[in-house]
Amino acid sequence: MIGADPAEARNLAASAKSLQELEAILGQYDGCGLKLRATQLVFADGNPDASIMLIGEAPGAEEDRIGKPFVGKSGQLLDRMLAAIGLDRTKVYIANTVPWRPPGNRTPTPEEMALCLPFLHRQVELVAPKVIMTLGGPAMQTLFDTTSGIIKMRGKWANLTVGRHQAEAVATLHPAYLLRNPAAKEQAWQDMLSLKLKLVELGLVD
Ligand code: URA
């Protein structure tokens, strides 16, 4: 059995030459304890050739059941947020910081995220998006490698290095948070408009 060794996770992730290989490697990987309690691996959804990648926190109950990210209530809201700026899952690629559901939907621990991070970095390298949007505090903190809060950081663009890939990146609020705090939708809407403007600026949409 493969142990909970970050160096081993890095070597395994680096050995993947394609997203299919990475998914297969993760399917075999036993180093992260989250896998033991999850129903299945939740690797990705959307278009692997997309220039936009969205990164959430972790699969929930519906995602664990179906095997795809953002298919529950927050996924439905995410689809509406994307549709509001002319996007859908044929135009974006979606993954999470960890690909297995944490028990009871708790936030993944720093150790769990650290073990899964090399795989996420490799996933980003293989998709090679021009633009990344993170959803919620934990995904923002992991990708931007910061302890700052999401309320302070959201909406601020940065040129981010993820593994050996560089992309324009921005954080927004998590759709699950928006479902609990509808008043915050105004801020998320500003972030979606800012994403649309960035895509136009980069010539990625009309
Ligand atoms: N929340 C997430 O962060 N990711 C999912 O896939 C579903 C809900």
Side-chain angles (χ1 to χ4, degrees), residues 42 56-60 63 68-71 74 96 174:
V42 177
E57 180 180 328
E63 290 75 21
K68 286 189 176 172
F70 284 102
V71 290
S74 52
N96 281 307
H174 195 287

Side-chain angles (χ1 to χ4, degrees), residues 38-43 45 58-76 89 96 99-102 104-105 179:
T39 306
Q40 58 184 320
L41 176 71
V42 177
F43 185 65
D45 195 20
E62 271 304 281
E63 290 75 21
D64 182 59
R65 197 172 66 78
I66 292 177
K68 286 189 176 172
F70 284 102
V71 290
K73 283 222 166 61
S74 52
Q76 288 159 19
R89 292 184 191 222
N96 281 307
W100 294 284
R101 180 195 184 200
N105 293 347
L179 288 171

Side-chain angles (χ1 to χ4, degrees), residues 176-197:
Y177 174 82
L178 299 175
L179 288 171
R180 293 191 305 271
N181 302 277
K185 284 184 181 170
E186 173 63 32
Q187 289 166 299
W189 174 234
Q190 283 167 20
D191 298 339
M192 295 314 284
L193 286 178
S194 165
L195 171 61
K196 173 80 180 193
L197 282 178

Side-chain angles (χ1 to χ4, degrees), residues 6-203:
E8 193 156 28
R10 278 195 295 279
N11 289 339
L12 279 170
S15 72
K17 304 275 185 302
S18 66
L19 288 167
Q20 288 83 351
E21 275 187 33
L22 185 65
E23 186 171 1
I25 288 169
L26 267 170
Q28 300 286 315
Y29 179 64
D30 287 336
C32 178
L34 287 177
K35 184 182 184 179
L36 299 175
R37 304 264 307 267
T39 306
Q40 58 184 320
L41 176 71
V42 177
F43 185 65
D45 195 20
N47 182 352
D49 297 321
S51 38
I52 308 156
M53 182 163 175
L54 305 179
I55 302 175
E57 180 180 328
E62 271 304 281
E63 290 75 21
D64 182 59
R65 197 172 66 78
I66 292 177
K68 286 189 176 172
F70 284 102
V71 290
K73 283 222 166 61
S74 52
Q76 288 159 19
L77 177 54
L78 179 62
D79 285 340
R80 293 200 294 279
M81 290 161 71
L82 291 171
I85 57 163
L87 297 176
D88 59 30
R89 292 184 191 222
T90 67
K91 299 185 184 121
V92 303
Y93 181 84
I94 310 177
N96 281 307
T97 56
V98 299
W100 294 284
R101 180 195 184 200
N105 293 347
R106 64 163 171 74
T107 302
T109 64
E111 291 74 25
E112 289 160 350
M113 293 212 235
L115 275 173
C116 294
L117 193 58
F119 299 106
L120 178 63
H121 279 183
R122 189 69 189 131
Q123 201 169 4
V124 173
E125 286 172 1
L126 290 165
V127 175
K130 301 258 188 317
V131 172
I132 295 172
M133 176 174 256
T134 59
L135 305 167
M140 180 276 290
Q141 290 178 337
T142 305
L143 267 294
F144 286 79
D145 193 18
T146 177
T147 53
S148 296
I150 181 69
I151 299 298
K152 178 169 161 222
M153 291 289 288
R154 56 150 281 273
K156 295 185 179 145
W157 286 93
N159 189 268
L160 195 64
T161 301
V162 183
R164 283 168 296 149
H165 181 71
Q166 280 196 346
E168 292 299 309
V170 71
T172 193
L173 303 170
H174 195 287
Y177 174 82
L178 299 175
L179 288 171
R180 293 191 305 271
N181 302 277
K185 284 184 181 170
E186 173 63 32
Q187 289 166 299
W189 174 234
Q190 283 167 20
D191 298 339
M192 295 314 284
L193 286 178
S194 165
L195 171 61
K196 173 80 180 193
L197 282 178
K198 180 64 76 178
L199 297 176
V200 171
E201 186 187 309
L202 295 177

